[in-house]
Amino acid sequence: MRETLNDWRERIRGRPVLNNVWRLAVFSVGVTVLAAGVAMLVLPGPGWAAIFVGFAILATEFAWAQRALTSAKQTASKAKEKALDPRARRRNQLLAICAGVVLAVAIVAYLQAFGLNLPWKV
């Protein structure tokens, strides 16, 4: 099957007009998926997954997209390793708890400073 697809792609590469049309189609689909992924970062949906799929589509034809995809894979792998490190995880949890406590104290101080009645204050 793979050999058949490779032969088919080589025949397309042998015809300049057909090759340009193919590359334009791959570019259009890839950029559309990539743009949808970027939009899904702020809208509901799997934004990062769509971005990676868009780069994977583009990487089938374009070297710059292949380099970007390889770099993104390496960065994701490093982030995964860092996230799974127990010491870093404990540190991050501790920092999140401290930040939450500081934020809660700041909110209570703000509410008291501006004369808002707290529910537990008689």
Side-chain angles (χ1 to χ4, degrees):
M1 175 85 173
R2 178 173 273 208
E3 195 173 300
T4 305
L5 289 174
N6 285 337
D7 291 343
W8 179 76
R9 184 63 186 111
E10 286 304 318
R11 278 184 275 161
I12 289 176
R13 280 194 183 108
R15 298 179 181 168
V17 173
L18 194 55
N19 187 44
N20 287 339
V21 169
W22 176 259
R23 287 175 60 93
L24 182 64
V26 169
F27 181 78
S28 299
V29 171
V31 167
T32 301
V33 172
L34 191 63
V38 170
M40 283 188 271
L41 290 175
V42 294
L43 299 172
W48 287 110
I51 289 172
F52 288 130
V53 169
F55 271 119
I57 291 169
L58 290 168
T60 62
E61 290 296 319
F62 302 102
W64 59 267
Q66 181 65 39
R67 286 190 303 270
L69 186 61
T70 302
S71 174
K73 284 180 183 178
Q74 290 171 349
T75 303
S77 178
K78 287 178 187 174
K80 180 186 85 168
E81 292 300 321
K82 192 174 184 181
L84 294 177
D85 179 26
R87 288 179 35 213
R89 208 165 124 215
R90 276 194 303 272
R91 183 197 65 220
N92 291 343
Q93 288 173 342
L94 183 62
L95 288 173
I97 290 169
C98 290
V101 169
V102 168
L103 184 64
V105 168
I107 289 172
V108 169
Y110 177 82
L111 292 175
Q112 274 187 327
F114 288 100
L116 298 173
N117 293 327
L118 297 176
W120 58 83
K121 188 175 179 183
V122 181

